[in-house]
Amino acid sequence: MISQVFILTTSGDHLIYKDFRGEAGVDAIRTFYEAVTALSGDQPPVVMVGLGVQSHKGMHFVHVKQGGLYWAASTKSNPSPFTVIEFLNRLAALTKDYCGSLSEKSVRMNFALIYELLDEMVDYGYIQTTSTDMLKNFIQTETMSSKPFSLFELGNVGLFGAETQQSKVAPSAATSRPLMFTRGDQGGNEIFVDVIERLSVIIGSNGVVMKADIEGEIRVKCYLPGCSEMRIGLNEELSIGKSQLRGYGMAVRMDECSFHQAVKLDEFDAYRILKICPSQGEQTVMQYQLCDDLPCAPPFRLFPTVERDIGNSVALNVSVTLPIPKGSVSLSQELSSPDQSAELQSKNKALQWDIPRFPGGAQLSALFKLEVPGLSSASLQEVGPVSLCFELPKHTCTGLQVRFLRLTPTQPGSSQRWVRYVTHSDSYTIRI
């Protein structure tokens, strides 16, 4: 059972604090923050306070980190940590669904809504429900949106594409639309389908792809007042497994896939059609994986060189993050455009180069000079590998496409249907 639930910023300020059982005071927040920040490296999700802290002896803290915030729960009993972690993830997902985004600002603006969610989700430390369909019948607090929904918002255009001939692609501000509409809104007759893929790639120093894995999913966000059945058609040439082949053209292949329990698959084998009765809110319809293969060319290639130049190391064409020698004390740089920036992160012993916008087909370069006192040949071995983080709108590396999106029965009025394609770098490493 759960004793407390609290949401903290990375600086230790608590935004939400809910005590269900009175087993510990509010000072447990400081105890948790000091314990979790004292850990080096990756922070484990479960932290137990040692015997030296008598006020919270035997207290366990379970936490996840999402949206730059700590979502934590404390307990003195012995519940399943996986259950508590799943509860915290669902709380974060529900907060994002209702508030439109997951950030310190959205939590501060909607603290009353989050407290109401906790009251309905947990009773005296026992989890009651995390279902969106159940909670929407009880939540009365209206969402405070920090940014109104606008089809013309281009601030985050990198997340989405523009309108194409086959489908409309939602602008990035569409993700900020709350789950519940306030009174007077005329919207609500919409459905969004997101095809999202995450890449894990390792490229050798010679440019050869050594490892390439893709994990993808199809998400549906439904805001229709009533829809008994929805049919999603995928590529007819979609092949699952290494031995299965379909069609005569270039087949879209994946090693394995799984579906939401509500998806009907009676037409999937023959026609690659998914049938589902969507509920209000967001749900993952399909998950798939492709290992050790990249059907298209990798989105980025980097050809770095490292030289010794009169006691200083020189790094060329470094994107995002590059580990550097421990003794580096200063950095000089020559960038190809003023919107780029680079900094020396002395604490992490790394060089970071940020490119806000990278046009397709473009080639960028930069010259960095590091001052490294006592530079030796061994110091050059500390340089690299290069790590990239990026996001590609209107693109999936597998070539997976939504052929059509049909609703049954026909919705009154004009139903707006959105399809988005996004590829994220999950782990993109290039060795030097």
Side-chain angles (χ1 to χ4, degrees), residues 1-43:
M1 68 187 68
I2 296 173
S3 178
Q4 301 165 313
V5 171
F6 41 87
I7 304 175
L8 307 180
T9 65
T10 52
S11 59
D13 299 329
H14 77 269
L15 308 177
I16 300 293
Y17 170 76
K18 184 73 173 177
D19 190 348
F20 296 102
R21 301 182 60 83
E23 296 175 339
V26 71
D27 55 336
I29 297 177
R30 179 55 52 188
T31 302
F32 161 75
Y33 183 73
E34 291 175 351
V36 78
T37 54
L39 299 173
S40 59
D42 295 335
Q43 298 169 339

Coordinates of all heavy atoms in Angstrom, one line a residue, residues 1-43:
M1 N 0.8 -1.2 0.0 CA 0.0 0.0 0.0 C 0.9 1.2 0.0 O 2.0 1.2 0.4 CB -0.9 0.0 1.2 CG -0.2 0.2 2.5 SD -1.3 0.0 3.9 CE -1.7 -1.8 3.8
I2 N 0.4 2.3 -0.5 CA 1.1 3.6 -0.6 C 0.8 4.5 0.6 O -0.3 4.7 0.9 CB 0.7 4.3 -2.0 CG1 1.1 3.4 -3.1 CG2 1.4 5.6 -2.1 CD1 0.6 3.9 -4.5
S3 N 1.9 5.1 1.1 CA 1.7 6.0 2.2 C 1.6 7.4 1.8 O 0.7 8.1 2.2 CB 2.9 5.8 3.2 OG 2.8 6.8 4.3
Q4 N 2.5 7.8 0.9 CA 2.5 9.2 0.4 C 2.7 9.2 -1.1 O 3.4 8.3 -1.7 CB 3.6 10.1 1.1 CG 3.4 10.1 2.6 CD 4.7 10.7 3.2 OE1 5.8 10.2 2.8 NE2 4.6 11.6 4.1
V5 N 2.3 10.3 -1.8 CA 2.6 10.5 -3.2 C 3.0 12.0 -3.3 O 2.3 12.9 -2.8 CB 1.4 10.2 -4.1 CG1 1.7 10.7 -5.5 CG2 1.1 8.8 -4.2
F6 N 4.1 12.3 -3.9 CA 4.5 13.6 -4.1 C 5.3 13.8 -5.5 O 5.8 12.9 -6.0 CB 5.4 14.1 -3.0 CG 6.4 13.2 -2.5 CD1 7.7 13.1 -3.0 CD2 6.1 12.3 -1.4 CE1 8.6 12.2 -2.6 CE2 7.1 11.4 -0.9 CZ 8.3 11.4 -1.5
I7 N 5.2 15.0 -6.0 CA 5.8 15.4 -7.2 C 6.8 16.5 -6.9 O 6.5 17.5 -6.4 CB 4.8 15.9 -8.3 CG1 3.7 14.8 -8.5 CG2 5.5 16.2 -9.6 CD1 2.6 15.2 -9.4
L8 N 8.1 16.3 -7.3 CA 9.2 17.2 -7.0 C 9.8 17.7 -8.3 O 9.8 17.0 -9.3 CB 10.3 16.6 -6.2 CG 9.9 15.9 -4.9 CD1 11.1 15.4 -4.2 CD2 9.2 16.9 -4.0
T9 N 10.4 18.9 -8.3 CA 11.2 19.4 -9.4 C 12.6 18.8 -9.2 O 12.9 18.3 -8.1 CB 11.3 20.9 -9.4 OG1 11.9 21.4 -8.2 CG2 9.9 21.5 -9.5
T10 N 13.5 19.0 -10.1 CA 14.8 18.5 -10.0 C 15.6 19.3 -9.0 O 16.7 18.8 -8.5 CB 15.5 18.5 -11.4 OG1 15.4 19.9 -11.9 CG2 14.9 17.6 -12.4
S11 N 15.2 20.4 -8.6 CA 15.8 21.2 -7.6 C 15.3 20.9 -6.2 O 15.8 21.5 -5.2 CB 15.7 22.7 -7.8 OG 14.3 23.1 -7.9
G12 N 14.3 20.0 -6.0 CA 13.8 19.6 -4.8 C 12.6 20.3 -4.3 O 12.1 20.0 -3.2
D13 N 12.0 21.2 -5.1 CA 10.8 21.9 -4.7 C 9.6 21.0 -4.9 O 9.4 20.4 -6.0 CB 10.6 23.2 -5.5 CG 11.7 24.2 -5.3 OD1 12.2 24.2 -4.2 OD2 12.0 24.9 -6.2
H14 N 8.7 20.8 -3.9 CA 7.6 19.9 -4.1 C 6.4 20.7 -4.6 O 6.0 21.8 -4.2 CB 7.2 19.2 -2.8 CG 6.5 20.0 -1.8 ND1 7.1 20.7 -0.8 CD2 5.2 20.2 -1.6 CE1 6.2 21.3 0.0 NE2 5.0 21.0 -0.5
L15 N 5.8 20.1 -5.7 CA 4.6 20.7 -6.4 C 3.4 20.1 -5.8 O 2.3 20.8 -5.7 CB 4.8 20.5 -7.9 CG 6.1 21.0 -8.5 CD1 6.1 20.6 -10.0 CD2 6.3 22.4 -8.3
I16 N 3.4 18.8 -5.6 CA 2.2 18.1 -5.1 C 2.6 17.2 -4.0 O 3.7 16.5 -4.0 CB 1.6 17.2 -6.3 CG1 1.2 18.0 -7.5 CG2 0.4 16.4 -5.7 CD1 0.0 18.9 -7.2
Y17 N 1.8 17.2 -2.9 CA 2.1 16.3 -1.7 C 0.8 15.8 -1.2 O -0.1 16.6 -0.8 CB 2.9 17.1 -0.6 CG 3.0 16.3 0.7 CD1 3.9 15.2 0.8 CD2 2.2 16.6 1.7 CE1 4.0 14.5 1.9 CE2 2.3 15.9 2.9 CZ 3.2 14.8 3.0 OH 3.3 14.1 4.2
K18 N 0.6 14.5 -1.2 CA -0.6 13.8 -0.7 C -0.2 12.7 0.3 O 0.5 11.8 -0.1 CB -1.4 13.3 -1.9 CG -2.7 12.6 -1.5 CD -3.8 13.7 -1.2 CE -5.1 13.1 -1.0 NZ -6.1 14.1 -0.6
D19 N -0.7 12.8 1.5 CA -0.5 11.8 2.6 C -1.7 11.0 2.8 O -2.8 11.6 3.1 CB -0.1 12.5 3.9 CG 0.4 11.5 4.9 OD1 0.3 10.3 4.7 OD2 1.0 12.0 5.9
F20 N -1.7 9.7 2.5 CA -2.8 8.9 2.6 C -3.0 8.2 4.0 O -4.1 7.9 4.4 CB -2.8 7.8 1.5 CG -2.9 8.3 0.1 CD1 -1.7 8.4 -0.7 CD2 -4.1 8.8 -0.4 CE1 -1.8 9.0 -1.9 CE2 -4.1 9.3 -1.7 CZ -3.0 9.4 -2.5
R21 N -1.9 7.9 4.7 CA -2.0 7.1 5.9 C -1.4 7.7 7.1 O -1.5 7.1 8.2 CB -1.3 5.7 5.6 CG -1.9 5.0 4.4 CD -1.2 3.6 4.2 NE -1.3 2.8 5.4 CZ -2.3 2.0 5.7 NH1 -3.4 2.0 4.8 NH2 -2.4 1.3 6.8
G22 N -0.7 8.8 7.0 CA -0.1 9.5 8.2 C 1.1 8.7 8.8 O 1.3 8.9 10.0
E23 N 1.8 7.9 8.0 CA 2.9 7.1 8.6 C 4.2 7.9 8.6 O 5.1 7.5 9.2 CB 3.1 5.8 7.7 CG 1.9 4.9 7.8 CD 2.0 3.7 6.9 OE1 2.8 3.8 5.9 OE2 1.3 2.7 7.1
A24 N 4.2 9.0 7.9 CA 5.4 9.8 7.9 C 5.0 11.3 7.6 O 3.9 11.5 7.1 CB 6.4 9.4 6.8
G25 N 5.9 12.2 8.0 CA 5.6 13.6 7.8 C 6.1 14.1 6.5 O 6.6 13.4 5.7
V26 N 5.8 15.5 6.3 CA 6.2 16.1 5.1 C 7.7 16.1 4.9 O 8.2 16.3 3.8 CB 5.6 17.5 5.0 CG1 6.3 18.4 6.0 CG2 5.7 18.1 3.6
D27 N 8.5 16.0 6.0 CA 10.0 16.0 5.9 C 10.5 14.7 5.1 O 11.6 14.6 4.8 CB 10.6 16.0 7.3 CG 10.1 14.9 8.2 OD1 9.0 14.4 8.0 OD2 10.9 14.6 9.1
A28 N 9.6 13.8 4.9 CA 10.0 12.6 4.0 C 10.4 13.0 2.6 O 11.2 12.4 2.0 CB 8.8 11.6 4.0
I29 N 9.8 14.2 2.2 CA 10.2 14.7 0.8 C 11.7 15.0 0.8 O 12.4 14.6 -0.1 CB 9.3 15.9 0.5 CG1 7.9 15.5 0.4 CG2 9.8 16.5 -0.8 CD1 6.9 16.7 0.2
R30 N 12.2 15.7 1.8 CA 13.6 16.1 1.9 C 14.4 14.8 2.0 O 15.5 14.7 1.4 CB 13.8 17.0 3.0 CG 15.3 17.5 3.2 CD 15.8 18.1 2.0 NE 15.0 19.2 1.4 CZ 15.2 19.7 0.3 NH1 16.2 19.3 -0.5 NH2 14.4 20.7 -0.2
T31 N 14.0 13.9 2.8 CA 14.8 12.6 2.9 C 14.9 11.9 1.6 O 16.0 11.4 1.2 CB 14.1 11.7 4.0 OG1 14.0 12.4 5.2 CG2 14.9 10.4 4.2
F32 N 13.8 11.8 0.9 CA 13.8 11.2 -0.5 C 14.8 11.9 -1.4 O 15.6 11.3 -2.1 CB 12.4 11.1 -1.1 CG 12.4 10.9 -2.6 CD1 12.7 9.7 -3.1 CD2 12.2 12.0 -3.4 CE1 12.7 9.5 -4.5 CE2 12.2 11.8 -4.8 CZ 12.5 10.5 -5.3
Y33 N 14.7 13.3 -1.5 CA 15.5 14.0 -2.4 C 16.9 13.9 -2.1 O 17.8 13.7 -3.0 CB 15.0 15.5 -2.3 CG 15.8 16.4 -3.3 CD1 15.5 16.3 -4.7 CD2 16.8 17.3 -2.9 CE1 16.1 17.1 -5.6 CE2 17.4 18.0 -3.9 CZ 17.1 17.9 -5.2 OH 17.8 18.7 -6.1
E34 N 17.3 14.0 -0.8 CA 18.7 13.8 -0.5 C 19.2 12.4 -0.8 O 20.4 12.2 -1.2 CB 18.9 14.1 1.0 CG 18.7 15.6 1.4 CD 18.7 15.8 2.9 OE1 18.8 14.8 3.6 OE2 18.7 17.0 3.3
A35 N 18.4 11.4 -0.6 CA 18.8 10.0 -0.9 C 19.0 9.8 -2.4 O 19.9 9.2 -2.8 CB 17.8 9.1 -0.3
V36 N 18.0 10.3 -3.2 CA 18.1 10.0 -4.6 C 19.2 10.8 -5.3 O 19.8 10.4 -6.3 CB 16.7 10.2 -5.3 CG1 16.4 11.7 -5.5 CG2 16.6 9.5 -6.6
T37 N 19.4 12.1 -4.9 CA 20.5 12.9 -5.5 C 21.9 12.5 -5.1 O 22.8 12.9 -5.7 CB 20.2 14.4 -5.2 OG1 20.1 14.6 -3.8 CG2 19.0 14.9 -5.9
A38 N 22.0 11.8 -4.0 CA 23.3 11.3 -3.5 C 23.8 10.1 -4.3 O 24.9 9.8 -4.3 CB 23.2 10.9 -2.0
L39 N 22.9 9.5 -5.1 CA 23.3 8.3 -5.9 C 24.0 8.8 -7.1 O 23.7 9.8 -7.7 CB 22.0 7.6 -6.3 CG 21.2 7.0 -5.2 CD1 19.9 6.4 -5.7 CD2 21.9 5.9 -4.4
S40 N 25.0 8.0 -7.5 CA 25.8 8.3 -8.7 C 25.4 7.5 -9.8 O 24.9 6.4 -9.7 CB 27.3 8.1 -8.4 OG 27.5 6.7 -8.0
G41 N 25.5 8.0 -11.0 CA 25.1 7.3 -12.2 C 23.6 7.2 -12.4 O 22.9 8.1 -11.9
D42 N 23.1 6.2 -13.0 CA 21.7 6.0 -13.2 C 21.0 5.7 -11.8 O 21.4 4.9 -11.0 CB 21.4 4.8 -14.1 CG 21.9 5.1 -15.5 OD1 22.0 6.3 -15.9 OD2 22.2 4.1 -16.3
Q43 N 19.9 6.5 -11.6 CA 19.2 6.3 -10.3 C 18.2 5.2 -10.4 O 17.4 5.1 -11.3 CB 18.5 7.6 -10.0 CG 19.4 8.8 -9.9 CD 18.6 10.1 -9.8 OE1 17.4 10.2 -10.3 NE2 19.2 11.2 -9.3

